[in-house]
Amino acid sequence: MSSPALASASMSQVGERPFFTLCRTPLRVSLFGGGTDYPEWFQRQPGAVLGFTIDKYIYMSALRLSSFVEYRFRFAYSQTELVEAPADVSHPVMRAVLLREDYREPLDCSIQADLPASAGLGSSSAFTVGFTNLVSALKGVSRSKLELARLAIDTEQKLLDERVGVQDQLHAAFGGINRFNFEGDKISIEPLHIGATDVDSLSSWMVLVYTGLKRNASEVLCEQLENTTAKRVDTELGRMVQLVGAAQSILEGLHGDELPRELARLLCEGWQLKKSLSNRVTTPAIEELYDACLRHGALAGKLCGAGGGGFLLMIVPPDAGPSFTQAIGADRCVPFKIEQYGSTIRECW
């Protein structure tokens, strides 16, 4: 699946249907504005986030089954399910999407991922976006990136009653470096205008550092959303929206080494604001690892996702990269590149 243009693998005859469908959906790194993408905030104040997707993915493959196969549906992820009908599927997202789409044809589906789940990289929403994209392709239904994101948001917030924001679904669907704005029921997308050279340079200054801690985002968010609803963190969230605009100016206006260095300055403030939203955002172990990263050459960083565990994003000058990786541990440092395509489909005949 290395080709960026993951469209049809070959031309098919009119009316012929693909026998094998692949979906690749990227994980994301949220830089600024996290917390303002929840209805508890943007239904009363404008929200905004800025982030990007990375070349680490959730992969889904779907094989149409012949009628004489002894089972109708097989789903393989962290466990394997053999069921007769979509309503019998245990995985909540798969069940909800299959039922909403009224998908009934026999199917064998497998899921793999580059990085672990519950790690602050938006994997849950990437899964929902990817599976929605996959089932849409199997039905022959073409959907825009915004439609995919809105369907995923609806699945998680309404069908599954999950306390989730709306940025992860948008990142997974659109890909690239974007600013997303939220106000009431309105969503607007602003792709950032950054040259390819600066995008590659920015990637070379960044590394993901695994804390070794997994967490349930809903549990971590409970206190934060209570504080948001009670208006106890309005000042902090308002400042986080301002940082989105400041970061956009840096990313679109600066070049070379000046860009990541100025971005690091903003990340320092953003990380302190994030920690003020809830007592559950960080832990002593996370703070110890963060401080170790700074001692070994990182300029700044932040915890990805809601908090409580997962990955730290650290900005590390390239010339300090080798010594940083050796000190922190190659087994927990993950280099990456910024990807541009979002959730994509490839069909094989």
Side-chain angles (χ1 to χ4, degrees), residues 40-334:
E40 286 85 347
W41 173 259
F42 66 72
Q43 288 296 337
R44 59 184 180 86
Q45 296 283 348
V49 298
L50 188 152
F52 51 78
T53 47
I54 63 176
D55 62 346
K56 308 301 176 189
Y57 303 92
I58 293 177
Y59 306 90
M60 300 181 175
S61 60
L63 176 66
R64 298 178 186 274
L65 296 175
S66 302
S67 58
F68 53 79
V69 175
E70 60 185 22
Y71 56 87
R72 288 186 57 80
F73 294 94
R74 177 182 180 275
F75 299 100
Y77 45 103
S78 57
Q79 63 187 62
T80 301
E81 296 191 49
L82 296 173
V83 299
E84 289 299 310
D88 301 326
V89 178
S90 296
H91 194 289
V93 171
M94 289 180 165
R95 182 178 64 250
V97 172
L98 291 168
L99 290 175
R100 186 195 64 217
E101 298 295 330
D102 194 28
Y103 190 86
R104 304 181 184 183
E105 297 186 29
L107 185 67
D108 193 319
C109 182
S110 297
I111 317 293
Q112 295 85 32
D114 284 323
L115 295 175
S118 301
L121 300 177
S123 61
S124 295
S125 292
F127 187 104
T128 308
V129 169
F131 196 66
T132 300
N133 202 7
L134 183 72
V135 174
S136 298
L138 290 170
K139 292 180 63 179
V141 176
S142 177
R143 288 191 163 120
S144 70
K145 292 180 180 294
L146 184 57
E147 286 177 312
L148 280 177
R150 284 194 176 277
L151 282 170
I153 292 168
D154 185 76
T155 296
E156 294 176 352
Q157 291 187 344
K158 296 180 180 179
L159 299 184
L160 300 177
D161 196 29
E162 295 180 351
R163 300 188 78 178
V164 296
V166 299
Q167 68 161 317
D168 292 357
Q169 304 88 341
L170 290 159
H171 280 302
F174 280 87
I177 308 177
N178 294 287
R179 171 177 177 161
F180 299 113
N181 304 297
F182 319 103
E183 187 168 5
D185 294 328
K186 298 179 181 179
I187 296 175
S188 65
I189 300 97
E190 296 183 38
L192 268 62
H193 303 291
I194 310 174
T197 300
D198 285 327
V199 170
D200 290 341
S201 175
L202 184 61
S203 295
S204 71
W205 278 69
M206 292 182 171
V207 62
L208 291 169
V209 179
Y210 190 45
T211 65
L213 304 171
K214 288 190 175 184
R215 83 290 181 273
N216 183 297
S218 296
E219 293 178 359
V220 174
L221 283 167
C222 185
E223 180 183 340
Q224 176 183 319
L225 295 181
E226 288 177 359
N227 289 336
T228 303
T229 301
K231 302 182 181 180
R232 287 190 288 265
V233 290
D234 278 14
T235 300
E236 291 83 355
L237 290 170
R239 177 56 182 160
M240 291 174 83
V241 173
Q242 293 176 350
L243 289 183
V244 169
Q248 182 175 3
S249 297
I250 288 172
L251 288 165
E252 293 185 326
L254 299 183
H255 307 281
D257 292 355
E258 190 178 10
L259 192 162
R261 290 187 181 278
E262 283 299 299
L263 198 66
R265 180 181 58 81
L266 284 189
L267 274 182
C268 286
E269 181 180 353
W271 174 228
Q272 297 305 315
L273 287 169
K274 183 182 180 71
K275 291 191 288 185
S276 71
L277 300 180
S278 166
N279 291 326
R280 296 189 176 189
V281 169
T282 190
T283 68
I286 291 171
E287 290 296 317
E288 183 178 349
L289 177 60
Y290 187 93
D291 290 342
C293 289
L294 295 183
R295 288 197 306 272
H296 292 288
L299 302 182
K302 66 180 290 288
L303 195 64
C304 298
F311 282 92
L312 287 167
L313 171 74
M314 304 306 299
I315 295 184
V316 183
D319 58 1
S323 60
F324 176 89
T325 300
Q326 182 177 10
I328 301 301
D331 58 338
R332 69 194 314 169
C333 293
V334 180

Side-chain angles (χ1 to χ4, degrees), residues 9-40:
S10 61
M11 296 299 291
S12 64
Q13 297 178 357
V14 176
E16 186 180 358
R17 303 174 65 184
F19 70 90
F20 193 64
T21 303
L22 304 174
C23 180
R24 188 181 73 174
T25 305
L27 303 179
R28 66 94 185 97
V29 169
S30 176
L31 288 178
F32 299 98
T36 72
D37 64 312
Y38 288 85
E40 286 85 347

